[in-house]
Amino acid sequence: MSESSSASLSDPLSRIAELPGVNDAIDETRTLVDRLRDHRILRRRSNDVSLESSLRGACASAALEGAEVSMDEIREGHVYDTRIKGALRIGGELGGLVDTWPKAPRQTLARLHTLAAADAVSEEALGRPRLEGERVEDPLELGPAPSSAVASARLEGLYRLLESRTKVPALVTSSLVHGELMAIRPFGWGDGLVARAAERLTLIERGLDPKSLVASELGHRTLKDEYGPALRGYMAGTPEGVGGWIVYCCRAVLAGAQDSLATCEALKRG
């Protein structure tokens, strides 16, 4: 048995990482993120860049759910939409969930949903996977969500993925986390907020962006015309669809890193 075949058996995700175009997209994105992490302004203003990234990411994620809010409104505290309030709560608590994420992904996802939906769903529905027959929001027009039974089964698979210590790049794991959560829409309301936060959390926890500098959510908004089609490709389950989704997610992270680099340059200029 070849070394490549042995690796694929011991780590099934390695096959996904080897799909056409994936390695090149990962290398390009990682190079830019490393450039961001090495920016000299971060020696003294890392927290400022991280905070700005969190705010911009929250604004973008809420916009992808259909909320209309500007950064000026957020900075002035004029926040009334339940989607932006949920996104801001997630951004404020994300750093505290990094250690819990790989050990207790079930509880972490429940917490993310509780933060996202505190003003939007009943108390008993917070953090609880949806029941059969409950409404599923679909702002990206992905089509019907799977049944609650199928969603629960796929969630269990996602938990096993997160609890394993795969050697594939963080960008592969984070893309799969995002894609699965959007495909199954486990909660019915706020699934996009949760999925994009889980992607970002994975990038932090798996070491690509340990200081949470990259507004990956903003990247998805920048590429919003490609977001839904790429997700539908992932949901089709073909190698081309899955590989295309990972390449797309790499480009979204790249766009988020470019935005944070612009923030660093603005701070350097004073």
Side-chain angles (χ1 to χ4, degrees):
M1 180 180 292
S2 70
E3 183 177 342
S4 175
S5 299
S6 177
S8 294
L9 287 175
S10 61
D11 188 354
L13 293 187
S14 63
R15 294 184 180 182
I16 297 176
E18 293 165 1
L19 289 170
V22 169
N23 274 327
D24 288 344
I26 288 171
D27 288 344
E28 182 182 7
T29 304
R30 192 157 43 195
T31 297
L32 189 69
V33 173
D34 286 345
R35 182 179 152 205
L36 168 64
R37 291 172 59 179
D38 288 341
H39 199 287
R40 45 193 280 190
I41 198 70
L42 297 177
R43 296 172 194 168
R44 52 190 177 85
R45 301 198 65 177
S46 174
N47 288 341
D48 292 336
V49 177
S50 180
L51 176 60
E52 179 68 10
S53 171
S54 177
L55 291 175
R56 293 172 73 79
C59 182
S61 195
L64 287 166
E65 294 295 292
E68 295 184 8
V69 64
S70 69
M71 283 299 299
D72 287 341
E73 290 173 306
I74 290 176
R75 294 187 205 285
E76 293 167 5
H78 299 158
V79 176
Y80 309 104
D81 191 294
T82 55
R83 293 160 292 191
I84 185 59
K85 288 196 285 186
L88 288 169
R89 281 192 295 265
I90 285 175
E93 196 165 315
L94 203 64
L97 297 173
V98 173
D99 292 337
T100 309
W101 184 221
K103 302 171 190 173
R106 187 189 311 268
Q107 291 89 333
T108 307
L109 281 180
R111 181 59 184 162
L112 286 174
H113 184 252
T114 299
L115 293 167
D119 302 312
V121 304
S122 63
E123 187 173 350
E124 59 267 23
L126 289 174
R128 175 201 26 93
R130 59 183 165 87
L131 304 177
E132 201 61 45
E134 290 185 332
R135 177 181 172 83
V136 179
E137 302 288 337
D138 188 17
L140 293 178
E141 300 181 351
L142 300 176
S147 69
S148 60
V150 171
S152 294
R154 288 180 68 167
L155 266 179
E156 291 300 324
L158 182 60
Y159 298 147
R160 288 193 294 273
L161 165 65
L162 288 165
E163 289 166 349
S164 69
R165 298 317 294 177
T166 176
K167 293 182 180 179
V168 301
L171 283 158
V172 172
T173 306
S174 63
S175 300
L176 294 176
V177 167
H178 185 169
E180 274 299 285
L181 289 172
M182 290 301 290
I184 63 181
R185 284 158 278 171
F187 300 106
W189 193 97
D191 291 305
L193 298 177
V194 171
R196 289 182 288 273
E199 176 187 41
R200 184 165 182 167
L201 191 55
T202 305
L203 293 171
I204 298 168
E205 188 273 321
R206 303 257 165 163
L208 182 79
D209 181 29
K211 293 185 177 180
S212 191
L213 303 170
V214 179
S216 50
E217 309 95 329
L218 180 61
H220 291 296
R221 188 184 183 190
T222 301
L223 303 176
K224 63 181 183 298
D225 290 342
E226 301 175 45
Y227 190 16
L231 265 172
R232 286 190 284 274
Y234 173 83
M235 291 163 63
T238 63
E240 294 80 10
V242 173
W245 167 248
I246 295 172
V247 170
Y248 160 80
C249 285
C250 288
R251 292 176 56 230
V253 173
L254 185 77
Q258 288 171 330
D259 187 76
S260 292
L261 271 171
T263 297
C264 289
E265 288 299 312
L267 287 173
K268 188 174 78 171
R269 291 192 299 269

